[in-house]
Amino acid sequence: MDASLNTPPAPTVIQRADYQPPAWLVPEVTLAFDLGTEQTKVVAALKVQRNGQSQTLRLNGDGITPEAVLVDGQPTNDWRMDGADLLVELPGDAHEVSITTAINPAANTQLMGLYASNGMLCTQCEAEGFRRITFFPDRPDVLSVYTVHMQGSKDLFPVLLSNGNCTQQGEGPGEGVHNATWHDPWPKPSYLFALVAGDLVANQDTFTTMSGRKVDLGIWVREGDQDRTHHAMQALKDSMEWDEETFGREYDLDLFNIVAVSDFNMGAMENKGLNVFNTRYILADAETATDLDYDGIEGVVAHEYFHNWSGNRITCRDWFQLSLKEGFTVLRDQLFSQDMGSAAVKRIEDVRVLRAAQFPEDSGPLAHPIRPDSYQEISNFYTATVYNKGAEVIRMMRTLVGPERFRAGTDLYFDRHDGEAATCEDFVKAIEDGAGIDLGQFRLWYSQAGTPRVTARLDHADGVATLTLAQSVPPTPGQGEKQPMVIPLRIALFDPASGTHQGEQLIVLDRAEMQFAFPGFARRPVLSLGRGFSAPVAIDAEISDEDLVFLAAHDDDPFARYEALQQLIVKHLLAVLDGALTDAALEAGRGAIAAAFAAVVGDRALDDLMRGELMILPGEGYLADQLLVADPGAIRKAREGLKAYLGRSLEAGLLALHDRASAVPYALSAEARGARKVKTQALALLAAGVPQRAADLAAAQFDAADNMTDRQGALMVLAGLETPLRQEKLAAFLARHAGDPLVIDKWFSLQAGSLHPQALDHVKALAGHPDFTMTNPNRVRALYMAAAVNPGVFHVASGEGYRMIGELVRALDPINPQTAARFIAPLGRWRRIEPLRAALMKAELERIVAQPGLSKDTFEQASKSLG
Ligand SMILES: [Zn+2]
């Protein structure tokens, strides 16, 4: 056999610089769907208008064939296929082109385009799914007014939904069939099209907008799930009100519908007037959802709603501009959640996500700027960089000008570009003009990849404190040389004697090296730098353990306080990993951390939500990221060793904390949620230090639990322990929640993510469990993503973890390439892992790339990871 047959065709690389305006526009489109699970017929009538010189209309397709092509109502032969695309020759400037296609939703396992999920039909079109439904210029800068006719079986599809407003409903054609027409007056790109047909019931409510418009709200779910939609509905109403108050944005249709779907590749989708959600971001009650689930629902409902302006009214010119809508909308949902709950804890959580998910992207083979320059498959760019770092970049603009001027900038942006397909540059320009700031150099954040490193040193002489800062941006693929960035840093200088400071200041580091002088300090002050995480950078400050202990106890900025404790632990663990610590130094380091933890556990002024946050040790991935070459086994050992020390030395305090928190009854208040959080954090430390004691306590918490947060927290701890209680409670959990997919996901996930020494064997066994399926992305992620980010499973020295993920990718790629490609990144870290493991990881990537017929999603990620 010729080896070249195994090589995929050279993939097309799409460049941002090659952008051309569309040759033809489609101001109006009418879609007629004759719905069926196995066969759906689609007739698309496009009013097209020439927008350039070309007489050839290019309509994108993917896996579909035209059954009929009409131009101005007449059959035509003036068309041909170019790969998957349909080309139609048109003589004049304006025509109506009508195309008939037939699709099989039941066979669509990619879950892109129109697909079947538990008997219901639904769509997912972002980024390029619409071309799997019909032929169309499937690009975000072609905006059309949509009218959608649907007909289908009343039995199978009693509810028929699409974007906009329902303008007609009726019986027929024929026995047992009904139909509906939907019209969306707002021009939109094809990726925002949505259709849902199924047996659904709604939780209905209304919202009156600031100008007095009454909007009907509906959250559509399966019969029996209505009672679990109240939190999502409240989040929706809160979001609508918040966006009016905070950004002056009002909703613009008479209807807003949300549909929850159990088979979904992502979290949710902001289709105009008809958001489609993964069930996990809609359904919640105390019995089945954790406090984190509640937060996730609130954040995602808000995020998708906010897209109505930042994404839908103003969309992206092309997919390179994805951060225009995603970075801005993530910032908007973060600010919303800060206002709804604890702003301090929300900020810390967001930073933890950034460090766990985005920093590794920035330091790995898939590093890209928030506005990428090229891609093979756009689905691969729905990344933490585009989303979360994108949000940080816009947050920095807000920090630089303050909230009021920032609002003037966003007002101008919404005014200036409403109804357009815009670019990141349009956004930056609007903030510049509206807020009155020069963002010339700041634009580097859009083009340079990599996490900037800032070094800091504070000197003190003659009553003057001098801060010396230097920055560098590490090289990333395709970008060897970097220019200095604009880095806003919020700082405070504490008087160590009084424990206070004279006010926070904002300084801006915009050159390679700078000095800032602060007179009036008789004593050397303690430096608090990067307060509120004011820039997405890594800071190496020359700061003593003594100063870190001081800040961990006294800093009035909650993030800075958290960060000081984290830094203290990171410094200690890196020294342990370095292997150069004497026994005395090891003991002293642990002792200092235990003292700081004891202060946190016992600090009466702290609320429990914040206390719980402070009790979380830096993650293994974050620790690995601090090292040029990491040994994941050694990191686990060092981190667990410290936890064990803390669990033993703080046993009494942790038991007392657990005891106190256990007396707080279930409620959604901050106090009760905080109590649940510290309970599980206390258990996690005790489990490392005094496992038998912790097992009994966890089992008791499990048995007494009247809510999922307590039950899952206890089970998570038990799942990592060698105890008969482990099996007993796992079985009880499964029996209690049989038939509830979202909870069964948790059951898979907490075993795959556990600290148990045999966790890898557990994952392998779970893959054969009757509740496991490869066709549901939530289930696949619950088992395998939890395993891939658990160093105790993924990085076992034998390489079995890599082999397991590699096999998963190869098996999943033909079913669902988008989800399969997401599993490449953990293997792609091989350059930063010790040589023996690195070789095994690389070999697995090579096996993946060699697989015949690999999707371009997976091929792009795997080949780039090999470098
Ligand atoms: Zn989004």
Side-chain angles (χ1 to χ4, degrees):
M1 194 175 88
D2 187 341
S4 67
L5 288 176
N6 269 341
T7 312
T12 314
V13 177
I14 299 168
Q15 306 283 347
R16 182 165 61 87
D18 292 346
Y19 174 81
Q20 294 289 332
W24 289 80
L25 301 176
V26 188
E28 277 178 58
V29 55
T30 303
L31 300 171
F33 286 87
D34 190 354
L35 297 165
T37 308
E38 317 259 284
Q39 198 197 47
T40 288
K41 198 166 186 175
V42 188
V43 180
L46 283 54
K47 290 214 165 102
V48 299
Q49 232 169 49
R50 200 211 304 248
N51 191 45
Q53 297 306 310
S54 176
Q55 293 197 322
T56 308
L57 171 68
R58 175 177 290 273
L59 302 171
N60 305 113
D62 177 9
I64 51 174
T65 45
E67 295 192 345
V69 179
L70 277 67
V71 172
D72 301 324
Q74 301 301 315
T76 176
N77 290 323
D78 261 349
W79 62 271
R80 65 197 151 90
M81 297 301 290
D82 177 27
D85 294 351
L86 170 67
L87 306 185
V88 187
E89 294 302 323
L90 296 172
D93 291 339
H95 296 278
E96 182 172 301
V97 177
S98 165
I99 301 144
T100 305
T101 51
I103 45 185
N104 180 352
N108 184 352
T109 60
Q110 286 188 35
L111 313 183
M112 285 294 282
L114 178 69
Y115 64 93
S117 170
N118 290 328
M120 127 189 195
L121 297 180
C122 68
T123 54
Q124 169 59 32
C125 293
E126 187 178 1
E128 297 180 337
F130 192 72
R131 63 184 65 184
R132 294 168 55 80
I133 298 173
T134 189
F135 291 95
F136 200 78
D138 192 12
R139 43 187 287 171
D141 57 353
V142 173
L143 307 182
S144 321
V145 171
Y146 280 68
T147 304
V148 178
H149 303 294
M150 283 178 266
Q151 61 183 55
S153 155
K154 274 196 280 192
D155 274 355
L156 293 176
F157 313 119
V159 174
L160 302 172
L161 304 172
S162 189
N163 314 88
N165 299 313
C166 185
T167 55
Q168 175 271 325
Q169 276 178 297
E171 297 291 312
E175 192 72 2
V177 173
H178 68 153
N179 64 79
T181 303
W182 289 76
H183 179 76
D184 180 2
W186 298 101
K188 65 170 175 286
S190 50
Y191 81 87
L192 289 173
F193 164 78
L195 171 158
V196 172
D199 191 359
L200 297 163
V201 290
N203 169 7
Q204 283 174 323
D205 208 329
T206 60
F207 178 82
T208 304
T209 69
M210 59 185 177
S211 70
R213 175 203 282 268
K214 185 169 148 276
V215 182
D216 289 321
L217 310 176
I219 299 184
W220 297 83
V221 294
R222 301 200 158 270
E223 179 68 51
D225 281 339
Q226 300 99 304
D227 287 347
R228 295 206 277 164
T229 59
H230 298 297
H231 181 64
M233 183 61 86
Q234 190 58 48
L236 176 60
K237 291 193 286 184
D238 290 342
S239 315
M240 295 178 90
E241 192 177 337
W242 186 90
D243 210 19
E244 291 181 348
E245 284 169 7
T246 314
F247 282 93
R249 299 299 111 196
E250 183 177 0
Y251 188 61
D252 54 9
L253 286 165
D254 304 331
L255 265 187
F256 188 85
N257 282 319
I258 289 177
V259 178
V261 183
S262 49
D263 300 294
F264 204 67
N265 277 340
M266 24 203 133
M269 178 63 210
E270 71 262 25
N271 317 297
K272 182 82 185 187
L274 179 57
N275 287 189
V276 176
F277 270 63
N278 193 318
T279 42
R280 68 173 292 196
Y281 290 113
I282 291 296
L283 302 180
D285 60 15
E287 168 69 8
T288 58
T290 63
D291 295 333
L292 279 180
D293 295 330
Y294 274 81
D295 288 345
I297 288 167
E298 183 178 75
V300 177
V301 166
H303 178 95
E304 306 308 331
Y305 172 73
F306 295 156
H307 268 316
N308 189 57
W309 274 94
S310 50
N312 300 1
R313 286 286 284 262
I314 306 179
T315 189
C316 301
R317 188 192 72 174
D318 54 70
W319 292 119
F320 296 104
Q321 320 296 333
L322 184 58
S323 202
L324 172 76
K325 75 176 177 80
E326 295 305 344
F328 186 29
T329 305
V330 170
L331 174 66
R332 277 151 57 70
D333 82 54
Q334 290 179 348
L335 295 174
F336 167 76
S337 294
Q338 282 183 212
D339 284 353
M340 291 293 120
S342 162
V345 170
K346 173 64 180 160
R347 187 64 188 135
I348 292 169
E349 287 171 351
D350 288 339
V351 174
R352 196 169 36 234
V353 168
L354 187 83
R355 285 174 168 170
Q358 198 279 323
F359 278 23
E361 272 176 21
D362 250 350
S363 64
L366 302 171
H368 52 277
I370 65 169
R371 181 187 54 204
D373 292 317
S374 67
Y375 63 76
Q376 296 170 22
E377 170 51 61
I378 185 58
S379 299
N380 288 329
F381 284 83
Y382 286 73
T383 59
T385 298
V386 167
Y387 278 64
N388 303 65
K389 186 176 180 180
E392 293 296 329
V393 168
I394 299 174
R395 187 187 284 262
M396 281 191 289
M397 295 182 197
R398 185 170 178 269
T399 300
L400 285 166
V401 298
E404 281 172 26
R405 283 166 62 198
F406 181 71
R407 168 69 192 269
T410 59
D411 281 354
L412 181 64
Y413 169 69
F414 287 123
D415 267 6
R416 196 185 262 178
H417 297 289
D418 188 12
E420 290 180 8
T423 62
C424 293
E425 174 55 28
D426 291 332
F427 182 84
V428 178
K429 190 78 181 68
I431 301 297
E432 256 184 341
D433 295 348
I437 184 179
D438 178 355
L439 294 170
Q441 184 190 352
F442 186 87
R443 283 173 171 76
L444 286 169
W445 283 102
Y446 281 88
S447 56
Q448 289 194 160
T451 304
R453 290 206 89 83
V454 174
T455 60
R457 191 184 74 241
L458 189 73
D459 298 303
H460 179 253
D462 305 326
V464 179
T466 305
L467 176 63
T468 305
L469 298 174
Q471 61 161 304
S472 63
V473 188
T476 48
Q479 292 186 341
E481 296 291 314
K482 305 285 173 80
Q483 295 168 266
M485 318 273 274
V486 176
I487 300 173
L489 292 167
R490 290 166 47 197
I491 73 159
L493 296 166
F494 280 84
D495 175 2
S498 69
T500 59
H501 61 84
Q502 289 173 352
E504 183 182 280
Q505 301 182 48
L506 179 68
I507 58 174
V508 179
L509 172 65
D510 57 7
R511 294 197 296 269
E513 191 172 325
M514 291 172 83
Q515 281 196 331
F516 300 85
F518 304 93
F521 286 95
R523 277 183 299 267
R524 186 183 184 283
V526 178
L527 171 66
S528 169
L529 179 66
R531 294 157 67 83
F533 195 72
S534 56
V537 300
I539 298 179
D540 299 320
E542 286 179 26
I543 185 161
S544 66
D545 286 1
E546 193 190 349
D547 282 0
L548 288 174
V549 169
F550 171 87
L551 293 171
H554 294 102
D555 205 316
D556 57 334
D557 178 77
F559 173 78
R561 184 172 182 184
Y562 161 85
E563 183 68 352
L565 190 50
Q566 294 281 302
Q567 281 307 311
L568 191 67
I569 300 169
V570 169
K571 275 178 74 178
H572 170 74
L573 290 177
L574 293 181
V576 171
L577 289 166
D578 202 32
L581 279 187
T582 62
D583 286 353
L586 176 68
E587 205 48 39
R590 287 173 158 181
I593 293 167
F597 257 70
V600 165
V601 170
D603 185 345
R604 284 167 173 272
L606 267 181
D607 65 79
D608 276 340
L609 275 176
M610 184 66 191
R611 191 189 323 278
E613 211 56 50
L614 291 168
M615 290 170 71
I616 301 174
L617 267 63
E620 289 166 88
Y622 182 65
L623 290 164
D625 223 28
Q626 310 305 308
L627 298 160
L628 272 181
V629 175
D631 177 343
I635 290 175
R636 157 104 9 138
K637 189 161 164 258
R639 186 174 182 274
E640 288 307 306
L642 176 61
K643 277 171 67 186
Y645 179 89
L646 294 172
R648 280 193 304 272
S649 55
L650 303 177
E651 182 180 353
L654 292 170
L655 289 171
L657 177 63
H658 190 275
D659 202 39
R660 174 186 52 82
S662 299
V664 180
Y666 182 83
L668 286 174
S669 66
E671 188 207 356
R673 295 168 50 122
R676 292 192 286 279
K677 187 167 172 179
V678 295
K679 249 192 283 187
T680 293
Q681 291 309 325
L683 275 186
L685 291 174
L686 289 166
V690 284
Q692 198 46 57
R693 189 74 206 263
D696 292 339
L697 199 57
Q701 176 175 319
F702 183 91
D703 291 340
D706 61 356
N707 65 83
M708 181 52 76
T709 306
D710 284 348
R711 193 176 302 127
Q712 181 186 278
L715 193 58
M716 180 196 76
V717 167
L718 283 171
L721 292 174
E722 202 79 75
T723 159
L725 291 167
R726 177 181 181 279
Q727 262 318 320
E728 184 191 319
K729 301 306 177 196
L730 278 169
F733 187 94
L734 186 62
R736 180 179 186 125
H737 298 289
D740 187 330
L742 293 175
V743 184
I744 302 304
D745 287 342
K746 297 178 189 300
W747 184 81
F748 276 95
S749 194
L750 60 86
Q751 294 179 75
S754 91
L755 291 166
H756 197 282
Q758 266 89 54
L760 174 64
D761 295 334
H762 300 152
V763 175
K764 286 182 180 166
L766 287 168
H769 192 278
D771 282 327
F772 184 76
T773 166
M774 288 281 269
T775 55
N776 178 266
N778 283 1
R779 191 58 49 84
V780 171
R781 281 188 291 257
L783 180 61
Y784 285 108
M785 198 50 93
V789 300
N790 181 355
V793 172
F794 186 63
H795 286 298
V796 291
S798 65
E800 270 183 281
Y802 311 140
R803 173 57 64 91
M804 182 178 75
I805 295 301
E807 280 169 5
L808 166 76
V809 169
R810 285 177 283 147
L812 186 58
D813 187 65
I815 301 170
N816 188 331
Q818 233 179 66
T819 303
R822 297 255 156 189
F823 285 89
I824 299 294
L827 289 167
R829 300 286 298 160
W830 62 274
R831 280 185 189 78
R832 303 283 300 267
I833 303 293
E834 56 84 16
L836 288 176
R837 286 182 172 91
L840 295 165
M841 294 167 83
K842 192 167 174 238
E844 211 47 63
L845 284 168
E846 282 162 351
R847 258 190 285 276
I848 291 168
V849 170
Q851 164 132 318
L854 201 64
S855 71
K856 61 179 175 170
D857 304 65
T858 302
F859 178 79
E860 176 176 29
Q861 298 300 81
S863 57
K864 282 182 176 172
S865 297
L866 282 166

